[in-house]
Amino acid sequence: MAIIRAVIDTDPGIDDAVAILYALSSPAFEVLGITTVAGNIGIATTTRNAGRLLALIGRADVPVVAGASEPLARKGFDSSEIHGNDGLGGVRFPDPLQPAGQGAVEWLAALLMREPAASIDVLALGPLTNLARLVTDHPAAAARICRLIAMGGVIYEAGNVGPRAEFNIAADPEAAAIVLGAGLPIWLIPLDATRQVRADAAYLDGLRASGTKAAVAVAALIQAYFESTTVSLPPSPRPGGGQRDADEVGPDDKREDPLPEPQPKVAEGEQPARKPQQAELVLHADGSVSHDAPPSVGSIGAAGVPRHEVDQAAMLLATSRPLHDPCVMLLAERPELFGCTPMGLAVDLAQSRDAGTLTPDPAAPPVQVALRVDGAAALALLAAQLGGQ
């Protein structure tokens, strides 16, 4: 198999780190550089974290170049409550072996223009700010990307920062709209697929048993993910009516509620709809529970599930955690593990909890959207490469 020559664009929190360590461990990849973006945490920390991951396995040959410190047109998120103040869940890593460079977009453009066209993949693990700037400022360079494989969005399931919005897209929806509308060869891996790749305690034991630096570090990172996240059930109604969504919160699962949820308009003479007394819930494959959501791919249960049954199922699903960003590397190396559907997508740019929502749009340039994955095979490949098998 041909070596995958790639640049990783990332905002290293916990599962970004898992993905990066996988790419650095797999003989399938030649990592040409790591560009950083603010997302999970501020740019200084994400950049330092990229260097720390390289230092763990002695890769001073891979440059780290800092990129966008904020979204194109709005305030960024802060997810330190999930990833810790250091962005890596408190897991100790050595200091970077060398200082990072500056100007990620210009560095990436120069690399793409210097190397043969369609010879470099870009593996995007965070908000798409750097890549949007590449498209707008250096379109000729962007057109030379072989594959842009990105983790982001949600198509049919519940979101994790809003009813239908996912963190990476919602963190900079304007950037996502630019990138998804650019006509590039894009593979997008939304929560619909990433929630199907889940690590449990037995999986972590296997990683530790392999004894490699990368595998042991990944086990520690995922353990930190377990310790910083919970599965929560819906709380009491908020003042003024309506309910807050409930979800499992973890890396790239950052529940935010920045604005009140809009209330439906009621025509004159009609009575406003009332929430039923019995919980009407959909329990999703990641252990999340959402109110009044339509049945969706990867969901189990349906409206009218008694609360005690939801409790039991949520506790069962809470014994594992989804690995979102590693799916980017897994698709790059083994695309046959994923089921992809070509789809044009529009991005909601509202200043509300719907910001970043993706809607199928036949008029938009089609991208390959991964909706299915062989989760067991994906986990096996991840463990094998991290363990040096």
Side-chain angles (χ1 to χ4, degrees), residues 341-356:
T341 300
M343 188 180 301
L345 295 169
V347 184
D348 193 317
L349 303 180
Q351 295 288 336
S352 73
R353 296 179 71 225
D354 293 323

Side-chain angles (χ1 to χ4, degrees), residues 48-196:
R48 182 170 184 270
N49 285 347
R52 295 168 70 198
L53 294 166
L54 291 166
L56 177 71
I57 50 180
R59 292 295 302 273
D61 58 305
V62 178
V64 174
V65 189
S69 61
E70 59 186 6
L72 294 180
R74 63 183 68 209
K75 187 178 184 295
F77 295 149
D78 179 2
S79 298
S80 57
E81 76 281 359
I82 299 303
H83 299 270
N85 290 331
D86 67 348
L88 295 176
V91 179
R92 292 188 178 183
F93 286 87
D95 290 334
L97 299 174
Q98 58 186 5
Q102 300 293 320
V105 174
E106 291 72 22
W107 177 88
L108 180 56
L111 175 70
L112 289 166
M113 296 304 293
R114 184 171 65 247
E115 298 293 327
S119 67
I120 296 174
D121 288 346
V122 176
L123 309 178
L125 311 181
L128 295 173
T129 315
N130 287 336
L131 297 174
R133 289 180 171 170
L134 180 74
V135 167
T136 55
D137 297 348
H138 305 279
R144 297 169 70 88
I145 294 173
C146 180
R147 296 180 296 178
L148 169 55
I149 307 176
M151 186 273 140
V154 61
I155 308 301
Y156 299 116
E157 293 201 358
N160 59 21
V161 295
R164 293 285 310 283
E166 176 275 333
F167 176 85
N168 281 348
I169 304 299
D172 196 342
E174 287 79 12
I178 290 170
V179 173
L180 293 176
L184 301 176
I186 296 174
W187 279 255
L188 184 70
I189 312 176
L191 296 178
D192 309 67
T194 66
R195 285 169 168 166
Q196 299 172 41

